[in-house]
Amino acid sequence: MRQIRRVRQARRIPVLLAGVLGFLLVLTGITASTSTAAAATASGAGAEKRVFNGMQIIFQPDMPNAFCTIGAVGTDAYERKIAISAGHCVNGKEYADRDIPENIQPVYDRNDTASGPIGHLRYFKDPEGSMVGHATKDYMIIELEPTVVLSSQGPHLKQTGVLEVPGGQPSPNSLSPAPNSERLLGAALFNNNELVVSGQLGVNYGRVTNAAQGIYQSWAPHKGGDSGGPAIWHVPGSAYPSAANGFQAAGPWAGITKAIALGVPPYVYTSSANILADLRARNAAHPGVYGAGFQVTTNP
């Protein structure tokens, strides 16, 4: 992957976890926006709380402009409700690189903090010196509250499962043999694989031009705050998002937003293959890992 460019000065904001876990304002991770978030509203007595790809999340209710985005929701092999986002949205050596069973760090819907936490942080990979997250393992696992309702339908993207690439190059994180869900999209000149992504810029799509180490470079754009947000594979022959279809698209989950890089194209994404492969490897070493065996929800 090409050298990562910082597009704004990184700084820390007040820490959580009794001064251990803080936020790092970098690149496409948490952004300090000049606009205010939508007013938080209570879900209402008896109302179901729906969680979906593309939902903006925060870690402190009084800091609505420090946010990241959910890339996919579903269940793991242990029947826990799970959401996945970018690992570089948080940091803290004491809690990195291990499951966090303690309910220490709550996660909130940015636009509905009054409904309370939608879940708790369970894992994030230490960036190991990088300002934009670990090279191949830049992901976060959130265990959602049992009461939330999972939905495969985000503001623009409907996720139809997990991407499988029969015959593709295995993720560098994968144990051997690699299942199809841990194999990478091709990016050679004769490949026409495309990502469709959703974020603050609406819904966009672009060809995958590089897949080295399971990090996809694509023409599909994003901006600060979209880190962790959803990317799906454009199924050949399926409709592209347009005004005619309400700017909607459907396809298997292919990855999450990572960063902006020096190079052409500049937009990079962590593949779903890298995330799923690392979860399987960690679970093989220590069974019970949060998120292991993740499957995108089939709920509409």
Side-chain angles (χ1 to χ4, degrees):
M1 187 175 67
R2 295 178 174 85
Q3 181 181 2
I4 300 298
R5 175 172 61 91
R6 291 172 61 188
V7 298
R8 66 181 69 207
Q9 179 65 38
R11 65 180 179 88
R12 293 186 185 277
I13 64 179
V15 297
L16 303 182
L17 298 184
V20 177
L21 179 58
F23 301 115
L24 197 58
L25 303 185
V26 294
L27 210 54
T28 55
I30 293 176
T31 182
S33 171
T34 57
S35 63
T36 58
T41 57
S43 296
E48 293 181 332
K49 181 60 184 177
R50 180 173 161 268
V51 180
F52 47 86
N53 73 79
M55 173 182 282
Q56 294 176 347
I57 53 174
I58 60 175
F59 304 86
Q60 218 169 313
D62 60 350
M63 302 195 74
N65 293 325
F67 64 93
C68 278
T69 305
I70 288 177
V73 299
T75 54
D76 67 10
Y78 303 97
E79 300 184 353
R80 296 174 292 219
K81 294 181 179 180
I82 298 293
I84 296 177
S85 188
H88 69 258
C89 292
V90 294
N91 64 25
K93 291 286 188 181
E94 180 177 341
Y95 290 92
D97 297 328
R98 71 164 178 87
D99 274 1
I100 309 169
E102 310 95 330
N103 289 342
I104 294 176
Q105 179 56 66
V107 181
Y108 301 84
D109 175 356
R110 182 190 182 214
N111 294 314
D112 185 17
T113 57
S115 65
I118 61 171
H120 289 83
L121 178 66
R122 295 303 187 210
Y123 178 84
F124 67 99
K125 176 66 179 176
D126 185 81
E128 297 182 1
S130 170
M131 297 299 291
V132 291
H134 189 277
T136 67
K137 303 173 184 179
D138 183 19
Y139 71 94
M140 171 196 304
I141 297 295
I142 301 163
E143 183 184 16
L144 299 170
E145 295 294 329
T147 54
V148 304
V149 177
L150 305 179
S151 175
S152 59
Q153 179 66 63
H156 297 286
L157 305 182
K158 182 176 180 62
Q159 295 179 338
T160 57
V162 169
L163 177 65
E164 296 189 353
V165 187
Q169 181 72 23
S171 161
N173 300 334
S174 186
L175 300 175
S176 184
N180 291 337
S181 61
E182 296 178 15
R183 296 179 179 273
L184 306 173
L185 290 170
L189 289 177
F190 54 84
N191 292 124
N192 290 309
N193 290 307
E194 295 174 294
L195 297 181
V196 187
V197 307
S198 174
Q200 296 170 90
L201 300 176
V203 59
N204 292 278
Y205 55 89
R207 182 175 173 271
V208 176
T209 63
N210 192 343
Q213 295 297 297
I215 303 300
Y216 296 144
Q217 285 184 258
S218 172
W219 289 103
H222 54 251
K223 63 182 291 187
D226 290 338
S227 267
I232 64 172
W233 180 58
H234 175 251
V235 179
S238 66
Y240 288 97
S242 68
N245 60 22
F247 298 100
Q248 298 292 305
W253 175 54
I256 61 174
T257 299
K258 180 173 176 62
I260 298 174
L262 286 176
V264 180
Y267 306 106
V268 296
Y269 297 83
T270 298
S271 66
S272 55
N274 275 10
I275 297 171
L276 296 174
D278 190 56
L279 286 169
R280 184 168 69 95
R282 289 175 49 228
N283 194 62
H286 303 285
V289 161
Y290 289 96
F294 177 80
Q295 291 291 328
V296 170
T297 182
T298 58
N299 294 337

